[in-house]
């Protein structure tokens, strides 16, 4: 145990940010590799995959920048995390499609699936951590100050 007595396990948010960066950095390196994405067929997938990866990281970074103090900030962070999950799902689907069409090595595809699943798991952990820290979000139809909880 560290000398200060504190557990040094990263928070769900920190772990999610690290794994998301690892996933997208690795993905961008592969997109540039002509053995994985040959020039003759790169145009079919690489641009869309790169756009989705950038959108995913934008949502993650926007969620990270929100310092939750008010219910509106809590809702905004939840929104960006939800959008990140949607982008991640679309990214995973596009990577799988590219793998099938371009006949990418199954071990490589399994590696990407594992990274995507780990990113998804960590995003859900971040959302659950926010629920524990700030309480669950209000249900549908709730407006701030109307007395409903």
């Amino acid at each position: 145990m560290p000398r200060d007595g504190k557990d040094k396990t990263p928070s769900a948010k920190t772990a999610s940010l690290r794994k998301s960066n690892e996933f997208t950095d690795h993905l961008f390196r592969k997109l540039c590799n002509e053995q994985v994405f040959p020039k003759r067929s790169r145009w079919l997938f690489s641009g869309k995959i790169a756009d989705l990866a950038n959108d995913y990281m934008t949502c993650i970074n926007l969620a990270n920048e929100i310092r939750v103090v008010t219910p509106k900030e809590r809702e905004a962070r939840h929104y960006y995390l939800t959008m990140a999950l949607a982008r991640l799902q679309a990214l995973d689907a596009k990577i799988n499609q590219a793998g099938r069409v371009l006949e990418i090595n199954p071990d490589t595809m399994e590696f990407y699936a594992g990274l995507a699943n780990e990113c998804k798991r960590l995003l859900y952990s971040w959302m659950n951590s926010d629920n524990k820290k700030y309480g669950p979000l209000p249900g549908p139809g709730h407006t701030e100050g109307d007395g409903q909880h």
Side-chain angles (χ1 to χ4, degrees), residues 3 25 29 44 46 53 55 77 79 106-107 113 115 125 132:
R3 275 191 264 160
D25 289 352
R29 282 192 292 277
L44 288 170
S46 62
D55 289 348
R77 177 139 81 184
Y79 170 80
D107 291 338
L115 280 175
S125 291
K132 288 177 186 170

Side-chain angles (χ1 to χ4, degrees), residues 68-97:
V68 176
V69 176
T70 68
K72 291 286 184 199
E73 290 163 336
R74 169 77 172 93
E75 289 175 15
R77 177 139 81 184
H78 181 78
Y79 170 80
Y80 287 119
L81 291 173
T82 301
M83 291 297 101
L85 282 167
R87 266 61 173 192
L88 181 57
Q89 187 63 35
L91 178 58
D92 191 31
K94 188 55 74 177
I95 291 169
N96 284 322
Q97 183 184 35

